Amino acid sequence: TCSLLRSPKGFPKLKNDTFLRAARGEETEHTPVWCMRQAGRYLPEFRETRASQDFFATCRSPKLCCELTLQPLRRFPLDAAIIFSDILVVPQALGMEIVMVPGKGPTFPEPLKEVEDLLKLRQKVDVTAELGYVFQAITLTRHTLEGKVPLIGFSGAPWTLMSYMIEGGGSTTMAKAKSWLYRHPEASHQLLRLLADVITDYLVGQVAAGAQALQLFESHAGHLGPELFQDFALPYIRDIAQAVKSKLKEEALPLVPMIIFAKDAHYALRDLAHAGYEVVGLDWTIRPQEARAQVGKDVTLQGNLDPCALYAPKEKIGELVKKMLESFGTQRYIANLGHGLYPDMNPEHVGAFVEAVHAHSRHINKH
């Protein structure tokens, strides 16, 4: 169980490093697999743990984050854990208020409307003061995992966070946020730079706390076309990788593998492959062979089963996984979904997905 905070030192020895080896491009006996949103509402034990708690109060409780992170690992032989948290803790650290509205999702009562609103944001963020609860959750979880699998830390990327902060929640068009890019390019860059700086410190802090890999989520990349992505997303994605790595070196922290997941940005795959990340995550809208041709051989790919494939019968899930592994190849590859698990999914089907990856990749490797 998740109790008693220990220091970040003296972590248990890692028993299964398949995920880290694949991320670094080393040979693996089987293809590692984990799922985005693997700690989530599709598990009855998750709903039970979270039942009485406000969502962001849960995020601020290291003990609950630890418990929720470990729940899927008790059920499935996943090759990695990802810390239970949310990308919107970064806007909170900048001083914005966010409430979780049932049936609607995260909502900002006072989104950024005018350029002047940028002055309301904290210009200097002490990540330990504002986000220390995430660092505590990571340290606690890393100990409680007892070296079973590596622990992934994460953050939202600047454009994705900016879009939430201006839209005030989810949006199908992102028209308010995109209008800033066209009407207020300087102010947009100012906000994106502020976010990139906070994200860099936040990710470095996660490694100091015990994260063994990092994923950057550019979940709203699909709302940008190639030009806007080139101007307002890619430069910050690149800067974050570079800045995180140089700070890790400076602070004598481990250089952990980094994953970039830019959903629906297949127009930018070549650029993402050269953005300084060891792993490029893929959504389900691109053919594996095409992705491999674009990113080349020096980057590991992660993804990209359509999450809805998990609604199929278990035998069908096995067939789809086999096809996916044959297309990607079993090496320099981490199996995952092309996006997160949905709340109404059957846990047994998630188990079937994980087991199929292990069984088929072992079989392919043997033959």
Side-chain angles (χ1 to χ4, degrees):
T1 59
C2 307
S3 65
L4 137 143
L5 275 174
R6 283 166 283 195
S7 79
K9 297 289 160 267
F11 286 128
K13 191 174 170 339
L14 186 58
K15 298 176 187 130
N16 171 5
D17 66 349
T18 313
F19 163 80
L20 294 178
R21 293 167 62 82
R24 291 192 296 254
E26 296 166 15
E27 208 172 310
T28 59
E29 284 173 25
H30 68 264
T31 298
V33 54
W34 66 281
C35 298
M36 288 184 269
R37 298 208 190 118
Q38 64 190 22
R41 289 174 295 173
Y42 73 101
L43 290 176
E45 58 269 37
F46 176 96
R47 294 195 294 271
E48 214 169 286
T49 307
R50 274 249 14 248
S52 58
Q53 281 280 1
D54 164 72
F55 178 80
F56 287 107
T58 305
C59 289
R60 285 189 291 273
S61 159
K63 237 175 136 162
L64 285 174
C65 289
C66 174
E67 167 59 25
L68 294 170
T69 302
L70 293 178
Q71 283 177 350
L73 295 163
R74 295 189 190 118
R75 278 186 183 248
F76 316 116
L78 294 152
D79 293 288
I82 184 165
I83 194 67
F84 177 81
S85 185
D86 194 87
I87 63 171
L88 298 180
V89 299
V90 170
Q92 283 179 329
L94 289 167
M96 292 190 83
E97 188 198 343
I98 309 165
V99 288
M100 204 42 102
V101 178
K104 190 181 166 201
T107 306
F108 291 69
E110 289 181 43
L112 305 174
K113 287 197 174 77
E114 305 303 328
V115 169
E116 298 76 59
D117 293 342
L118 294 181
L119 299 171
K120 296 180 192 166
L121 300 175
R122 281 191 190 104
Q123 301 305 307
K124 274 273 170 270
V125 175
D126 175 346
V127 291
T128 309
E130 300 300 328
L131 295 164
Y133 59 88
V134 179
F135 302 156
Q136 289 176 345
I138 286 172
T139 302
L140 178 58
T141 306
R142 179 84 194 267
H143 280 296
T144 313
L145 266 171
E146 294 175 330
K148 190 174 176 176
V149 292
L151 179 61
I152 305 169
F154 70 91
S155 173
W159 154 250
T160 295
L161 296 180
M162 171 182 171
S163 61
Y164 272 113
M165 291 160 77
I166 294 171
E167 295 290 342
S171 156
T172 51
T173 59
M174 298 292 159
K176 287 182 193 148
K178 284 177 73 177
S179 83
W180 271 54
L181 305 181
Y182 285 109
R183 291 187 304 143
H184 314 302
E186 288 79 14
S188 296
H189 280 300
Q190 198 187 327
L191 174 54
L192 291 162
R193 167 57 44 216
L194 173 63
L195 283 162
D197 291 344
V198 176
I199 290 162
T200 296
D201 289 345
Y202 179 44
L203 290 173
V204 171
Q206 291 186 49
V207 176
Q212 289 153 293
L214 298 168
Q215 178 155 313
L216 192 66
F217 284 87
E218 189 70 280
S219 311
H220 296 168
H223 292 277
L224 304 175
E227 281 81 17
L228 288 179
F229 189 84
Q230 199 74 36
D231 290 346
F232 295 101
L234 188 63
Y236 299 99
I237 287 170
R238 275 195 194 120
D239 287 357
I240 287 167
Q242 210 176 344
V244 166
K245 286 177 177 179
S246 71
K247 285 197 173 186
L248 291 175
K249 273 192 190 126
E250 262 165 51
E251 297 179 29
L253 289 164
L255 277 176
V256 303
M258 294 177 73
I259 307 165
I260 176 65
F261 176 64
K263 189 172 180 295
D264 294 321
H266 23 78
Y267 55 80
L269 273 186
R270 263 195 187 85
D271 290 324
L272 290 168
H274 298 109
Y277 294 76
E278 285 69 27
V279 183
V280 173
L282 303 170
D283 60 61
W284 68 90
T285 62
I286 184 150
R287 290 189 178 88
Q289 294 93 330
E290 220 164 283
R292 184 61 81 192
Q294 287 194 45
V295 306
K297 295 193 166 53
D298 300 330
V299 175
T300 294
L301 289 173
Q302 173 176 282
N304 69 340
L305 191 73
D306 181 355
C308 291
L310 298 191
Y311 294 123
K314 287 190 216 170
E315 308 71 59
K316 177 73 177 160
I317 294 170
E319 286 165 33
L320 292 166
V321 165
K322 182 170 180 277
K323 194 176 159 204
M324 182 170 81
L325 286 162
E326 285 165 353
S327 302
F328 277 110
T330 58
Q331 301 299 321
R332 257 214 185 277
Y333 173 55
I334 296 161
N336 206 317
L337 303 172
H339 201 229
L341 288 159
Y342 301 146
D344 63 348
M345 286 182 163
N346 182 340
E348 283 183 23
H349 288 224
V350 178
F353 166 64
V354 173
E355 274 150 34
V357 171
H358 286 160
H360 288 299
S361 63
R362 282 201 173 97
H363 184 79
I364 294 168
N365 284 344
K366 274 206 185 89
H367 300 86

